[in-house]
Amino acid sequence: MCHACVMESVKDRMLSRRDLFRGTAASAAAVALGGIAGGALLAARPVAASTHSSVADMTHTIHPDFPTFFGDQQFFEEQKFNFAEHSFNLKELRVNEHTGTHVDAPLHFSADGASVDEIAVENLIVPLCVVDIRARAAEDADAQVTPDDLKAWIAANGPIPDRACVAMNSGWGAFVNDPKFRNADAEGKMHFPGFHVEAAQMLLETGAAGIASDTLSLDHGISPDFAAHYAWLPQNRWGIECLANLDAVPATGATLVVGAPKHRGGTGGPARVFTLI
């Protein structure tokens, strides 16, 4: 089929869909008005559940210059079609699975763990527990979430809920557009906060489904062995790295919704993550 024919076909389909949507919307409006006139409350149903009062976006915007663990570019985009020439826009993307706000699947640090498409959806809509170590991280870039931090959180907020995600708020999200996000020294070693392996091991004793960091790794930047990754992920748990906007959510009471990707055999991938508060 010629290029021009393809363009005309796309346009025809778009116009047909627009007409369909217009007709459907008009029909819905008529039904709603008729329902109200007849005493029904058809138009009064809420769009979303009424169990939350606000939503917070926990996702950084990904782009070609987004900071990465290895320092090299990991997100690439190419404009394949543009509106001026083709009457629609379309980009082709190439991305490392572990770029931007993203999920670490069990497979990422195990030989045969669950891939990202195999994570059960009921484990991706979970209670959120936020452990705040900002004060310590401001003094020490190598600060870690420790068992003492978890014990303090439990003392203040009660037990960690079943299937929860326990997130570290180190304040590092504020540096995402700054070299300090990687915070590499003269030898190339990075310095940013993360989870201590003993904290990961302690959380294994709970029903927590995931842990999350606002940095480039679940482990602190200077870690020589990814101990927290190896303790956590192979136990059929998941992680989130580069979580954003943790200052906007409370220590407890919010629900985290993880829009994990679903590509077969994936070790993780960029995700749209938000909280219901």
Side-chain angles (χ1 to χ4, degrees), residues 23 37 46 52 64 72-73 77 81 115 130-131 142 191 197 264 266:
H52 64 277
D72 298 325
Q73 181 180 347
E77 57 183 348
F81 297 91
S115 55
V130 180
V131 179
D142 298 323
H191 299 269
V197 62
R264 185 182 302 169

mmCIF file of all heavy atoms in Angstrom, residues 23 37 46 52 64 72-73 77 81 115 130-131 142 191 197 264 266:
data_model
loop_
_atom_site.group_PDB
_atom_site.id
_atom_site.type_symbol
_atom_site.label_atom_id
_atom_site.label_comp_id
_atom_site.label_asym_id
_atom_site.label_seq_id
_atom_site.Cartn_x
_atom_site.Cartn_y
_atom_site.Cartn_z
ATOM 1 N N GLY A 23 -21.326 10.346 18.835
ATOM 2 C CA GLY A 23 -22.631 9.708 18.944
ATOM 3 C C GLY A 23 -22.835 9.048 20.288
ATOM 4 O O GLY A 23 -23.901 9.145 20.896
ATOM 5 N N ALA A 37 -34.799 13.243 34.669
ATOM 6 C CA ALA A 37 -36.198 13.649 34.545
ATOM 7 C C ALA A 37 -37.117 12.595 35.144
ATOM 8 O O ALA A 37 -38.162 12.905 35.704
ATOM 9 C CB ALA A 37 -36.548 13.867 33.065
ATOM 10 N N PRO A 46 -19.978 8.767 40.750
ATOM 11 C CA PRO A 46 -18.635 9.343 40.746
ATOM 12 C C PRO A 46 -17.743 8.650 39.733
ATOM 13 O O PRO A 46 -17.910 7.463 39.455
ATOM 14 C CB PRO A 46 -18.134 9.086 42.179
ATOM 15 C CG PRO A 46 -18.913 7.896 42.644
ATOM 16 C CD PRO A 46 -20.257 8.026 41.987
ATOM 17 N N HIS A 52 -10.794 8.196 48.712
ATOM 18 C CA HIS A 52 -9.626 9.058 48.824
ATOM 19 C C HIS A 52 -10.019 10.482 48.438
ATOM 20 O O HIS A 52 -10.997 10.702 47.728
ATOM 21 C CB HIS A 52 -8.492 8.565 47.924
ATOM 22 C CG HIS A 52 -8.821 8.606 46.462
ATOM 23 N ND1 HIS A 52 -9.532 7.601 45.837
ATOM 24 C CD2 HIS A 52 -8.556 9.537 45.506
ATOM 25 C CE1 HIS A 52 -9.675 7.911 44.561
ATOM 26 N NE2 HIS A 52 -9.106 9.075 44.336
ATOM 27 N N PRO A 64 15.624 12.066 27.565
ATOM 28 C CA PRO A 64 16.949 11.551 27.194
ATOM 29 C C PRO A 64 18.068 11.890 28.170
ATOM 30 O O PRO A 64 19.040 11.132 28.272
ATOM 31 C CB PRO A 64 17.199 12.193 25.819
ATOM 32 C CG PRO A 64 15.828 12.365 25.247
ATOM 33 C CD PRO A 64 14.968 12.749 26.420
ATOM 34 N N ASP A 72 25.403 6.724 31.586
ATOM 35 C CA ASP A 72 25.165 6.856 30.153
ATOM 36 C C ASP A 72 23.675 7.052 29.864
ATOM 37 O O ASP A 72 22.822 6.665 30.664
ATOM 38 C CB ASP A 72 25.653 5.602 29.418
ATOM 39 C CG ASP A 72 27.142 5.368 29.570
ATOM 40 O OD1 ASP A 72 27.883 6.368 29.615
ATOM 41 O OD2 ASP A 72 27.556 4.192 29.648
ATOM 42 N N GLN A 73 23.385 7.634 28.713
ATOM 43 C CA GLN A 73 21.999 7.819 28.299
ATOM 44 C C GLN A 73 21.305 6.465 28.181
ATOM 45 O O GLN A 73 21.862 5.508 27.654
ATOM 46 C CB GLN A 73 21.945 8.549 26.956
ATOM 47 C CG GLN A 73 20.531 8.817 26.460
ATOM 48 C CD GLN A 73 20.523 9.549 25.130
ATOM 49 O OE1 GLN A 73 21.551 10.071 24.685
ATOM 50 N NE2 GLN A 73 19.371 9.592 24.472
ATOM 51 N N GLU A 77 14.541 8.600 21.908
ATOM 52 C CA GLU A 77 13.283 8.763 21.194
ATOM 53 C C GLU A 77 13.549 9.320 19.806
ATOM 54 O O GLU A 77 14.442 10.140 19.608
ATOM 55 C CB GLU A 77 12.329 9.678 21.968
ATOM 56 C CG GLU A 77 12.880 11.047 22.266
ATOM 57 C CD GLU A 77 11.924 11.892 23.091
ATOM 58 O OE1 GLU A 77 10.754 11.506 23.234
ATOM 59 O OE2 GLU A 77 12.347 12.950 23.585
ATOM 60 N N PHE A 81 6.638 10.091 12.828
ATOM 61 C CA PHE A 81 5.611 10.823 12.106
ATOM 62 C C PHE A 81 5.341 12.116 12.850
ATOM 63 O O PHE A 81 5.431 12.148 14.083
ATOM 64 C CB PHE A 81 4.313 10.013 12.004
ATOM 65 C CG PHE A 81 4.448 8.736 11.227
ATOM 66 C CD1 PHE A 81 4.779 7.548 11.868
ATOM 67 C CD2 PHE A 81 4.255 8.721 9.856
ATOM 68 C CE1 PHE A 81 4.909 6.370 11.160
ATOM 69 C CE2 PHE A 81 4.374 7.538 9.134
ATOM 70 C CZ PHE A 81 4.711 6.362 9.785
ATOM 71 N N SER A 115 9.283 -12.404 36.445
ATOM 72 C CA SER A 115 9.524 -11.246 35.585
ATOM 73 C C SER A 115 8.462 -10.189 35.858
ATOM 74 O O SER A 115 7.472 -10.435 36.553
ATOM 75 C CB SER A 115 9.508 -11.667 34.114
ATOM 76 O OG SER A 115 8.305 -12.324 33.802
ATOM 77 N N VAL A 130 5.948 5.396 54.526
ATOM 78 C CA VAL A 130 7.063 6.275 54.185
ATOM 79 C C VAL A 130 7.969 6.451 55.398
ATOM 80 O O VAL A 130 7.545 6.969 56.437
ATOM 81 C CB VAL A 130 6.565 7.652 53.690
ATOM 82 C CG1 VAL A 130 7.760 8.544 53.336
ATOM 83 C CG2 VAL A 130 5.641 7.478 52.489
ATOM 84 N N VAL A 131 9.221 6.023 55.246
ATOM 85 C CA VAL A 131 10.224 6.145 56.305
ATOM 86 C C VAL A 131 11.092 7.361 55.977
ATOM 87 O O VAL A 131 11.782 7.392 54.959
ATOM 88 C CB VAL A 131 11.088 4.878 56.403
ATOM 89 C CG1 VAL A 131 12.138 5.028 57.501
ATOM 90 C CG2 VAL A 131 10.212 3.654 56.668
ATOM 91 N N ASP A 142 25.643 9.044 52.471
ATOM 92 C CA ASP A 142 25.688 7.580 52.494
ATOM 93 C C ASP A 142 24.731 6.972 53.521
ATOM 94 O O ASP A 142 24.819 5.780 53.848
ATOM 95 C CB ASP A 142 27.116 7.100 52.789
ATOM 96 C CG ASP A 142 28.111 7.532 51.725
ATOM 97 O OD1 ASP A 142 27.734 7.534 50.530
ATOM 98 O OD2 ASP A 142 29.257 7.870 52.075
ATOM 99 N N HIS A 191 27.434 8.598 45.823
ATOM 100 C CA HIS A 191 27.055 8.738 47.234
ATOM 101 C C HIS A 191 25.619 9.233 47.310
ATOM 102 O O HIS A 191 25.339 10.403 47.053
ATOM 103 C CB HIS A 191 28.010 9.706 47.948
ATOM 104 C CG HIS A 191 29.434 9.252 47.948
ATOM 105 N ND1 HIS A 191 29.979 8.493 48.950
ATOM 106 C CD2 HIS A 191 30.430 9.437 47.028
ATOM 107 C CE1 HIS A 191 31.241 8.232 48.688
ATOM 108 N NE2 HIS A 191 31.543 8.794 47.515
ATOM 109 N N VAL A 197 21.055 -3.646 54.220
ATOM 110 C CA VAL A 197 20.639 -5.031 54.009
ATOM 111 C C VAL A 197 19.850 -5.568 55.209
ATOM 112 O O VAL A 197 18.906 -6.358 55.042
ATOM 113 C CB VAL A 197 21.851 -5.928 53.696
ATOM 114 C CG1 VAL A 197 22.848 -5.956 54.854
ATOM 115 C CG2 VAL A 197 21.396 -7.349 53.362
ATOM 116 N N ARG A 264 6.941 -9.369 28.271
ATOM 117 C CA ARG A 264 7.259 -10.748 28.642
ATOM 118 C C ARG A 264 8.736 -10.897 29.019
ATOM 119 O O ARG A 264 9.631 -10.480 28.287
ATOM 120 C CB ARG A 264 6.921 -11.688 27.493
ATOM 121 C CG ARG A 264 7.088 -13.170 27.805
ATOM 122 C CD ARG A 264 6.789 -14.016 26.596
ATOM 123 N NE ARG A 264 5.427 -13.784 26.106
ATOM 124 C CZ ARG A 264 4.987 -14.236 24.938
ATOM 125 N NH1 ARG A 264 5.774 -14.899 24.132
ATOM 126 N NH2 ARG A 264 3.726 -13.986 24.573
ATOM 127 N N GLY A 266 10.432 -9.426 31.324
ATOM 128 C CA GLY A 266 11.115 -8.190 31.697
ATOM 129 C C GLY A 266 11.688 -8.225 33.108
ATOM 130 O O GLY A 266 11.088 -8.780 34.030
#
